[in-house]
Amino acid sequence: MSDADAPDVLVLRKGTHGTPIEQYADAIRARLPDHTVALARTPAEERSRIETARFVTGMTLEPELLEAAADLEVFACAYAGTGHLPLDELADRGVAVTNASGVHGPNIGEHVLGAILHFTRRFHVGARRQRRREWRHYKAHELQGSTVTVVGLGAIGRAVCERLEPFGVDTIGVRYSPEKGGPTDEVIGFEDEALDDALARTDYLVLACPLTETTRGLIDREAFVTMDPESVLINIARGPVVDTDALVAALRSNWIRGAALDVTDPEPLPEDHPLWGFENVQITPHNAGHTPKYYDRLADIVAENRRRFDESDAVTDFENQVLP
């Protein structure tokens, strides 16, 4: 394929959330009517079209495709995280990489709020008594006046905090650079004493952080012992942020009131894993990220970055103004 035939935006074939990738390509076309947008729907098309493409978007970029991408300048990753990409090779080639940070804010924010309300009003107890056709009252909780700690104040963490505002809760944010502040009543770092103090005051602990050397195993046995027995863990980050064995022990010993887990370690969770058996554990199969608006929000980001790429004189200029 000649350079003249190269599309302005090349969309790779892998979709996400069970939604056809054609919808993503169409959403980009609607936002960039003056650009050519091509969808490589087969492996052969991907190999052929990526040879001359300068701006490519997709969920993944396999090494053999990158090897064929002689003219590639920008890879617009369609996920918020980029750790699965060959980042070293992309850097060596001078390829700018963008992500979809912020695309999950509304849906995961709603998922977290739903999980908090689920445990506040103890809907799982009500559902169990409904299944038994048992009309018997049970005690519930009230969210107002609670303390919610959000670990990670990126786009998702901020979306969670925004949705908590009307509920009259106190909020604590945990981030790498607490001096930057955030949308919470308090902002702390990952220092042991500050974090332990926050855990001791927390009613709902929301994990919305990336998996790093600092956060791997962050919520371990000592953390669970420090938390109040009436506290609830909500993990929409990554499974290994929580020590799974410690979580099972905490649930068995009533060190915490319950847990809402959208991610687990291991993942998928094996059928015989003890976490399945707890009535005070809500498990969703890494589903918080699903939304029918995903491709629309993603296309907004990618289209704007393509416009900025058009206006830049070099990849370095583009990197200085890239969204989000």
Side-chain angles (χ1 to χ4, degrees):
M1 180 177 292
S2 68
D3 290 350
D5 296 325
D8 296 318
V9 179
L10 175 64
V11 180
L12 301 183
R13 64 192 167 94
K14 185 180 184 300
T16 190
H17 299 309
T19 306
I21 193 66
E22 284 82 0
Q23 292 184 20
Y24 178 37
D26 288 343
I28 298 175
R29 290 188 185 102
R31 288 156 177 78
L32 295 173
D34 297 330
H35 291 67
T36 56
V37 178
L39 171 60
R41 201 62 187 82
T42 67
E45 280 188 283
E46 285 184 334
R47 289 191 296 270
S48 173
R49 286 188 171 276
I50 206 168
E51 290 179 358
T52 56
R54 299 172 62 208
F55 193 108
V56 176
T57 182
M59 312 294 161
T60 62
L61 183 61
E62 302 303 328
E64 59 271 19
L65 275 182
L66 177 56
E67 186 65 29
D71 297 333
L72 184 62
E73 295 183 47
V74 178
F75 182 72
C77 183
Y79 289 136
T82 58
H84 62 289
L85 297 176
L87 294 176
D88 290 341
E89 291 87 343
L90 286 160
D92 290 342
R93 286 170 167 260
V95 177
V97 176
T98 70
N99 67 6
S101 177
V103 72
H104 282 309
N107 47 295
I108 296 186
E110 292 173 3
H111 183 99
V112 170
L113 188 58
I116 290 175
L117 293 173
H118 173 93
F119 279 97
T120 299
R121 301 309 302 170
R122 299 184 74 200
F123 289 137
H124 55 296
V125 177
R128 184 168 67 246
R129 295 190 180 182
Q130 180 180 348
R131 288 194 300 271
R132 297 173 179 172
R133 302 186 181 187
E134 181 181 8
W135 187 274
R136 184 161 60 91
H137 290 282
Y138 56 90
K139 293 182 179 180
H141 300 267
E142 189 170 297
L143 182 55
Q144 182 171 281
S146 299
T147 297
V148 181
T149 295
V150 181
V151 181
L153 292 180
I156 292 173
R158 294 194 302 272
V160 170
C161 294
E162 289 170 3
R163 283 154 182 77
L164 285 169
E165 284 184 6
F167 288 90
V169 300
D170 296 321
T171 52
I172 303 171
V174 184
R175 66 183 307 174
Y176 288 106
S177 305
E179 66 276 4
K180 293 182 179 178
T184 51
D185 298 311
E186 300 176 45
V187 181
I188 64 171
F190 284 92
E191 296 81 9
D192 291 341
E193 288 190 14
L195 184 58
D196 287 345
D197 176 68
L199 292 177
R201 295 184 283 136
T202 295
D203 297 296
Y204 297 91
L205 176 62
V206 179
L207 304 179
C209 54
L211 179 62
T212 66
E213 291 182 7
T214 299
T215 62
R216 183 179 294 274
L218 179 71
I219 308 304
D220 56 10
R221 183 184 185 280
E222 293 304 311
F224 285 119
V225 172
T226 302
M227 293 168 66
D228 189 279
E230 287 297 308
S231 61
V232 174
L233 170 71
I234 299 162
N235 190 6
I236 48 85
R238 289 292 182 267
V241 175
V242 177
D243 182 324
T244 301
D245 291 340
L247 172 59
V248 171
L251 291 163
R252 285 175 172 163
S253 302
N254 293 316
W255 293 344
I256 60 173
R257 177 154 54 95
L261 309 173
D262 190 58
V263 290
T264 60
D265 181 27
E267 188 175 309
L269 195 64
E271 291 183 10
D272 60 351
H273 199 281
L275 282 173
W276 288 112
F278 292 99
E279 291 187 344
N280 59 339
V281 174
Q282 180 189 58
I283 296 174
T284 48
H286 209 140
N287 209 65
H290 183 269
T291 169
K293 302 292 186 181
Y294 187 87
Y295 283 151
D296 286 331
R297 294 192 192 116
L298 178 59
D300 287 339
I301 294 171
V302 171
E304 181 59 25
N305 278 336
R306 175 66 221 200
R307 294 187 193 99
R308 295 187 177 204
F309 178 67
D310 292 339
E311 295 167 0
S312 64
D313 293 327
V315 169
T316 51
D317 293 335
F318 172 71
E319 289 175 328
N320 290 333
Q321 60 177 348
V322 69
L323 287 178

PDB file of all heavy atoms in Angstrom, residues 156-182:
ATOM      1  N   ILE A 156     -11.044   7.961  37.476  1.00  0.00           N
ATOM      2  CA  ILE A 156     -12.063   7.124  38.115  1.00  0.00           C
ATOM      3  C   ILE A 156     -12.259   7.532  39.565  1.00  0.00           C
ATOM      4  O   ILE A 156     -13.394   7.670  40.037  1.00  0.00           O
ATOM      5  CB  ILE A 156     -11.683   5.639  37.998  1.00  0.00           C
ATOM      6  CG1 ILE A 156     -11.771   5.201  36.535  1.00  0.00           C
ATOM      7  CG2 ILE A 156     -12.584   4.782  38.877  1.00  0.00           C
ATOM      8  CD1 ILE A 156     -11.263   3.802  36.276  1.00  0.00           C
ATOM      9  N   GLY A 157     -11.164   7.727  40.284  1.00  0.00           N
ATOM     10  CA  GLY A 157     -11.284   8.154  41.672  1.00  0.00           C
ATOM     11  C   GLY A 157     -12.029   9.470  41.807  1.00  0.00           C
ATOM     12  O   GLY A 157     -12.869   9.641  42.707  1.00  0.00           O
ATOM     13  N   ARG A 158     -11.742  10.414  40.904  1.00  0.00           N
ATOM     14  CA  ARG A 158     -12.446  11.698  40.943  1.00  0.00           C
ATOM     15  C   ARG A 158     -13.927  11.522  40.633  1.00  0.00           C
ATOM     16  O   ARG A 158     -14.782  12.175  41.238  1.00  0.00           O
ATOM     17  CB  ARG A 158     -11.806  12.679  39.955  1.00  0.00           C
ATOM     18  CG  ARG A 158     -10.382  13.089  40.326  1.00  0.00           C
ATOM     19  CD  ARG A 158      -9.936  14.304  39.536  1.00  0.00           C
ATOM     20  NE  ARG A 158      -9.988  14.100  38.102  1.00  0.00           N
ATOM     21  CZ  ARG A 158      -9.003  13.593  37.372  1.00  0.00           C
ATOM     22  NH1 ARG A 158      -7.865  13.218  37.966  1.00  0.00           N
ATOM     23  NH2 ARG A 158      -9.123  13.451  36.062  1.00  0.00           N
ATOM     24  N   ALA A 159     -14.248  10.623  39.691  1.00  0.00           N
ATOM     25  CA  ALA A 159     -15.656  10.375  39.358  1.00  0.00           C
ATOM     26  C   ALA A 159     -16.396   9.785  40.552  1.00  0.00           C
ATOM     27  O   ALA A 159     -17.555  10.118  40.801  1.00  0.00           O
ATOM     28  CB  ALA A 159     -15.759   9.428  38.155  1.00  0.00           C
ATOM     29  N   VAL A 160     -15.733   8.923  41.300  1.00  0.00           N
ATOM     30  CA  VAL A 160     -16.336   8.361  42.507  1.00  0.00           C
ATOM     31  C   VAL A 160     -16.624   9.477  43.512  1.00  0.00           C
ATOM     32  O   VAL A 160     -17.719   9.562  44.085  1.00  0.00           O
ATOM     33  CB  VAL A 160     -15.413   7.298  43.135  1.00  0.00           C
ATOM     34  CG1 VAL A 160     -15.917   6.890  44.517  1.00  0.00           C
ATOM     35  CG2 VAL A 160     -15.303   6.072  42.226  1.00  0.00           C
ATOM     36  N   CYS A 161     -15.643  10.345  43.719  1.00  0.00           N
ATOM     37  CA  CYS A 161     -15.812  11.438  44.686  1.00  0.00           C
ATOM     38  C   CYS A 161     -16.940  12.374  44.291  1.00  0.00           C
ATOM     39  O   CYS A 161     -17.722  12.826  45.138  1.00  0.00           O
ATOM     40  CB  CYS A 161     -14.502  12.215  44.823  1.00  0.00           C
ATOM     41  SG  CYS A 161     -13.149  11.256  45.560  1.00  0.00           S
ATOM     42  N   GLU A 162     -17.053  12.675  43.004  1.00  0.00           N
ATOM     43  CA  GLU A 162     -18.125  13.552  42.530  1.00  0.00           C
ATOM     44  C   GLU A 162     -19.493  12.967  42.846  1.00  0.00           C
ATOM     45  O   GLU A 162     -20.413  13.685  43.244  1.00  0.00           O
ATOM     46  CB  GLU A 162     -17.989  13.770  41.016  1.00  0.00           C
ATOM     47  CG  GLU A 162     -16.799  14.631  40.621  1.00  0.00           C
ATOM     48  CD  GLU A 162     -16.573  14.622  39.119  1.00  0.00           C
ATOM     49  OE1 GLU A 162     -17.394  13.985  38.400  1.00  0.00           O
ATOM     50  OE2 GLU A 162     -15.588  15.223  38.655  1.00  0.00           O
ATOM     51  N   ARG A 163     -19.631  11.662  42.691  1.00  0.00           N
ATOM     52  CA  ARG A 163     -20.919  11.020  42.920  1.00  0.00           C
ATOM     53  C   ARG A 163     -21.235  10.842  44.396  1.00  0.00           C
ATOM     54  O   ARG A 163     -22.388  10.606  44.760  1.00  0.00           O
ATOM     55  CB  ARG A 163     -20.947   9.684  42.177  1.00  0.00           C
ATOM     56  CG  ARG A 163     -21.178   9.892  40.689  1.00  0.00           C
ATOM     57  CD  ARG A 163     -20.629   8.791  39.817  1.00  0.00           C
ATOM     58  NE  ARG A 163     -20.874   9.110  38.407  1.00  0.00           N
ATOM     59  CZ  ARG A 163     -20.168   9.990  37.698  1.00  0.00           C
ATOM     60  NH1 ARG A 163     -19.160  10.630  38.261  1.00  0.00           N
ATOM     61  NH2 ARG A 163     -20.462  10.251  36.430  1.00  0.00           N
ATOM     62  N   LEU A 164     -20.240  10.961  45.233  1.00  0.00           N
ATOM     63  CA  LEU A 164     -20.454  10.856  46.671  1.00  0.00           C
ATOM     64  C   LEU A 164     -20.870  12.184  47.299  1.00  0.00           C
ATOM     65  O   LEU A 164     -21.386  12.210  48.419  1.00  0.00           O
ATOM     66  CB  LEU A 164     -19.178  10.358  47.358  1.00  0.00           C
ATOM     67  CG  LEU A 164     -18.846   8.876  47.198  1.00  0.00           C
ATOM     68  CD1 LEU A 164     -17.434   8.605  47.705  1.00  0.00           C
ATOM     69  CD2 LEU A 164     -19.865   7.999  47.924  1.00  0.00           C
ATOM     70  N   GLU A 165     -20.648  13.288  46.587  1.00  0.00           N
ATOM     71  CA  GLU A 165     -20.877  14.617  47.166  1.00  0.00           C
ATOM     72  C   GLU A 165     -22.270  14.805  47.767  1.00  0.00           C
ATOM     73  O   GLU A 165     -22.402  15.370  48.850  1.00  0.00           O
ATOM     74  CB  GLU A 165     -20.594  15.700  46.113  1.00  0.00           C
ATOM     75  CG  GLU A 165     -19.116  15.936  45.884  1.00  0.00           C
ATOM     76  CD  GLU A 165     -18.874  17.083  44.919  1.00  0.00           C
ATOM     77  OE1 GLU A 165     -19.865  17.740  44.533  1.00  0.00           O
ATOM     78  OE2 GLU A 165     -17.705  17.328  44.559  1.00  0.00           O
ATOM     79  N   PRO A 166     -23.346  14.355  47.119  1.00  0.00           N
ATOM     80  CA  PRO A 166     -24.682  14.634  47.689  1.00  0.00           C
ATOM     81  C   PRO A 166     -25.024  13.797  48.927  1.00  0.00           C
ATOM     82  O   PRO A 166     -26.066  14.023  49.533  1.00  0.00           O
ATOM     83  CB  PRO A 166     -25.638  14.274  46.534  1.00  0.00           C
ATOM     84  CG  PRO A 166     -24.791  14.142  45.318  1.00  0.00           C
ATOM     85  CD  PRO A 166     -23.458  13.717  45.805  1.00  0.00           C
ATOM     86  N   PHE A 167     -24.179  12.844  49.298  1.00  0.00           N
ATOM     87  CA  PHE A 167     -24.554  11.891  50.338  1.00  0.00           C
ATOM     88  C   PHE A 167     -24.075  12.279  51.737  1.00  0.00           C
ATOM     89  O   PHE A 167     -24.282  11.526  52.685  1.00  0.00           O
ATOM     90  CB  PHE A 167     -24.043  10.492  49.976  1.00  0.00           C
ATOM     91  CG  PHE A 167     -24.811   9.865  48.849  1.00  0.00           C
ATOM     92  CD1 PHE A 167     -24.416  10.057  47.537  1.00  0.00           C
ATOM     93  CD2 PHE A 167     -25.942   9.101  49.095  1.00  0.00           C
ATOM     94  CE1 PHE A 167     -25.134   9.493  46.489  1.00  0.00           C
ATOM     95  CE2 PHE A 167     -26.661   8.537  48.061  1.00  0.00           C
ATOM     96  CZ  PHE A 167     -26.265   8.733  46.744  1.00  0.00           C
ATOM     97  N   GLY A 168     -23.434  13.418  51.867  1.00  0.00           N
ATOM     98  CA  GLY A 168     -23.040  13.876  53.187  1.00  0.00           C
ATOM     99  C   GLY A 168     -22.000  13.018  53.863  1.00  0.00           C
ATOM    100  O   GLY A 168     -22.077  12.745  55.071  1.00  0.00           O
ATOM    101  N   VAL A 169     -21.015  12.563  53.108  1.00  0.00           N
ATOM    102  CA  VAL A 169     -19.947  11.732  53.674  1.00  0.00           C
ATOM    103  C   VAL A 169     -18.661  12.547  53.808  1.00  0.00           C
ATOM    104  O   VAL A 169     -18.478  13.579  53.150  1.00  0.00           O
ATOM    105  CB  VAL A 169     -19.680  10.485  52.802  1.00  0.00           C
ATOM    106  CG1 VAL A 169     -20.927   9.628  52.693  1.00  0.00           C
ATOM    107  CG2 VAL A 169     -19.189  10.882  51.401  1.00  0.00           C
ATOM    108  N   ASP A 170     -17.777  12.079  54.675  1.00  0.00           N
ATOM    109  CA  ASP A 170     -16.428  12.622  54.759  1.00  0.00           C
ATOM    110  C   ASP A 170     -15.537  11.773  53.861  1.00  0.00           C
ATOM    111  O   ASP A 170     -15.656  10.534  53.846  1.00  0.00           O
ATOM    112  CB  ASP A 170     -15.915  12.564  56.202  1.00  0.00           C
ATOM    113  CG  ASP A 170     -16.715  13.440  57.142  1.00  0.00           C
ATOM    114  OD1 ASP A 170     -17.091  14.549  56.736  1.00  0.00           O
ATOM    115  OD2 ASP A 170     -16.987  13.003  58.274  1.00  0.00           O
ATOM    116  N   THR A 171     -14.660  12.423  53.107  1.00  0.00           N
ATOM    117  CA  THR A 171     -13.840  11.678  52.161  1.00  0.00           C
ATOM    118  C   THR A 171     -12.360  11.905  52.409  1.00  0.00           C
ATOM    119  O   THR A 171     -11.923  13.001  52.766  1.00  0.00           O
ATOM    120  CB  THR A 171     -14.167  12.085  50.709  1.00  0.00           C
ATOM    121  OG1 THR A 171     -14.089  13.518  50.587  1.00  0.00           O
ATOM    122  CG2 THR A 171     -15.564  11.618  50.325  1.00  0.00           C
ATOM    123  N   ILE A 172     -11.602  10.823  52.216  1.00  0.00           N
ATOM    124  CA  ILE A 172     -10.141  10.862  52.303  1.00  0.00           C
ATOM    125  C   ILE A 172      -9.605  10.346  50.981  1.00  0.00           C
ATOM    126  O   ILE A 172     -10.007   9.274  50.519  1.00  0.00           O
ATOM    127  CB  ILE A 172      -9.609   9.976  53.455  1.00  0.00           C
ATOM    128  CG1 ILE A 172     -10.220  10.385  54.800  1.00  0.00           C
ATOM    129  CG2 ILE A 172      -8.086  10.044  53.525  1.00  0.00           C
ATOM    130  CD1 ILE A 172      -9.901   9.421  55.940  1.00  0.00           C
ATOM    131  N   GLY A 173      -8.716  11.082  50.362  1.00  0.00           N
ATOM    132  CA  GLY A 173      -8.097  10.651  49.124  1.00  0.00           C
ATOM    133  C   GLY A 173      -6.654  10.241  49.365  1.00  0.00           C
ATOM    134  O   GLY A 173      -5.949  10.857  50.166  1.00  0.00           O
ATOM    135  N   VAL A 174      -6.230   9.183  48.685  1.00  0.00           N
ATOM    136  CA  VAL A 174      -4.852   8.704  48.792  1.00  0.00           C
ATOM    137  C   VAL A 174      -4.226   8.768  47.412  1.00  0.00           C
ATOM    138  O   VAL A 174      -4.762   8.197  46.457  1.00  0.00           O
ATOM    139  CB  VAL A 174      -4.789   7.260  49.331  1.00  0.00           C
ATOM    140  CG1 VAL A 174      -3.337   6.830  49.529  1.00  0.00           C
ATOM    141  CG2 VAL A 174      -5.565   7.125  50.629  1.00  0.00           C
ATOM    142  N   ARG A 175      -3.112   9.493  47.299  1.00  0.00           N
ATOM    143  CA  ARG A 175      -2.436   9.609  46.014  1.00  0.00           C
ATOM    144  C   ARG A 175      -0.939   9.742  46.207  1.00  0.00           C
ATOM    145  O   ARG A 175      -0.457  10.019  47.310  1.00  0.00           O
ATOM    146  CB  ARG A 175      -2.983  10.804  45.231  1.00  0.00           C
ATOM    147  CG  ARG A 175      -2.692  12.152  45.844  1.00  0.00           C
ATOM    148  CD  ARG A 175      -3.330  13.291  45.061  1.00  0.00           C
ATOM    149  NE  ARG A 175      -2.983  13.247  43.638  1.00  0.00           N
ATOM    150  CZ  ARG A 175      -3.505  14.051  42.726  1.00  0.00           C
ATOM    151  NH1 ARG A 175      -4.410  14.960  43.092  1.00  0.00           N
ATOM    152  NH2 ARG A 175      -3.142  13.979  41.469  1.00  0.00           N
ATOM    153  N   TYR A 176      -0.183   9.543  45.120  1.00  0.00           N
ATOM    154  CA  TYR A 176       1.274   9.607  45.201  1.00  0.00           C
ATOM    155  C   TYR A 176       1.771  10.998  45.538  1.00  0.00           C
ATOM    156  O   TYR A 176       2.787  11.164  46.199  1.00  0.00           O
ATOM    157  CB  TYR A 176       1.890   9.150  43.874  1.00  0.00           C
ATOM    158  CG  TYR A 176       1.774   7.666  43.628  1.00  0.00           C
ATOM    159  CD1 TYR A 176       0.859   7.176  42.703  1.00  0.00           C
ATOM    160  CD2 TYR A 176       2.562   6.761  44.318  1.00  0.00           C
ATOM    161  CE1 TYR A 176       0.734   5.821  42.477  1.00  0.00           C
ATOM    162  CE2 TYR A 176       2.451   5.398  44.099  1.00  0.00           C
ATOM    163  CZ  TYR A 176       1.538   4.935  43.172  1.00  0.00           C
ATOM    164  OH  TYR A 176       1.407   3.587  42.958  1.00  0.00           O
ATOM    165  N   SER A 177       1.064  12.025  45.061  1.00  0.00           N
ATOM    166  CA  SER A 177       1.489  13.407  45.278  1.00  0.00           C
ATOM    167  C   SER A 177       0.397  14.156  46.023  1.00  0.00           C
ATOM    168  O   SER A 177      -0.369  14.930  45.433  1.00  0.00           O
ATOM    169  CB  SER A 177       1.780  14.093  43.935  1.00  0.00           C
ATOM    170  OG  SER A 177       2.722  13.367  43.180  1.00  0.00           O
ATOM    171  N   PRO A 178       0.291  13.958  47.343  1.00  0.00           N
ATOM    172  CA  PRO A 178      -0.796  14.598  48.095  1.00  0.00           C
ATOM    173  C   PRO A 178      -0.753  16.109  48.065  1.00  0.00           C
ATOM    174  O   PRO A 178      -1.775  16.767  48.255  1.00  0.00           O
ATOM    175  CB  PRO A 178      -0.589  14.053  49.520  1.00  0.00           C
ATOM    176  CG  PRO A 178       0.833  13.607  49.572  1.00  0.00           C
ATOM    177  CD  PRO A 178       1.158  13.131  48.198  1.00  0.00           C
ATOM    178  N   GLU A 179       0.431  16.669  47.779  1.00  0.00           N
ATOM    179  CA  GLU A 179       0.528  18.126  47.721  1.00  0.00           C
ATOM    180  C   GLU A 179      -0.294  18.709  46.574  1.00  0.00           C
ATOM    181  O   GLU A 179      -0.615  19.909  46.573  1.00  0.00           O
ATOM    182  CB  GLU A 179       1.991  18.556  47.583  1.00  0.00           C
ATOM    183  CG  GLU A 179       2.673  18.173  46.280  1.00  0.00           C
ATOM    184  CD  GLU A 179       3.232  16.759  46.274  1.00  0.00           C
ATOM    185  OE1 GLU A 179       3.018  16.031  47.267  1.00  0.00           O
ATOM    186  OE2 GLU A 179       3.873  16.379  45.280  1.00  0.00           O
ATOM    187  N   LYS A 180      -0.684  17.879  45.615  1.00  0.00           N
ATOM    188  CA  LYS A 180      -1.516  18.344  44.511  1.00  0.00           C
ATOM    189  C   LYS A 180      -2.979  18.489  44.912  1.00  0.00           C
ATOM    190  O   LYS A 180      -3.781  19.051  44.166  1.00  0.00           O
ATOM    191  CB  LYS A 180      -1.406  17.374  43.327  1.00  0.00           C
ATOM    192  CG  LYS A 180      -0.028  17.352  42.677  1.00  0.00           C
ATOM    193  CD  LYS A 180      -0.014  16.399  41.491  1.00  0.00           C
ATOM    194  CE  LYS A 180       1.347  16.386  40.805  1.00  0.00           C
ATOM    195  NZ  LYS A 180       1.381  15.429  39.665  1.00  0.00           N
ATOM    196  N   GLY A 181      -3.339  17.964  46.079  1.00  0.00           N
ATOM    197  CA  GLY A 181      -4.718  18.062  46.530  1.00  0.00           C
ATOM    198  C   GLY A 181      -5.639  17.146  45.756  1.00  0.00           C
ATOM    199  O   GLY A 181      -5.203  16.239  45.050  1.00  0.00           O
ATOM    200  N   GLY A 182      -6.931  17.392  45.895  1.00  0.00           N
ATOM    201  CA  GLY A 182      -7.901  16.561  45.203  1.00  0.00           C
ATOM    202  C   GLY A 182      -9.311  16.880  45.653  1.00  0.00           C
ATOM    203  O   GLY A 182      -9.522  17.732  46.524  1.00  0.00           O
TER     204      GLY A 182
END
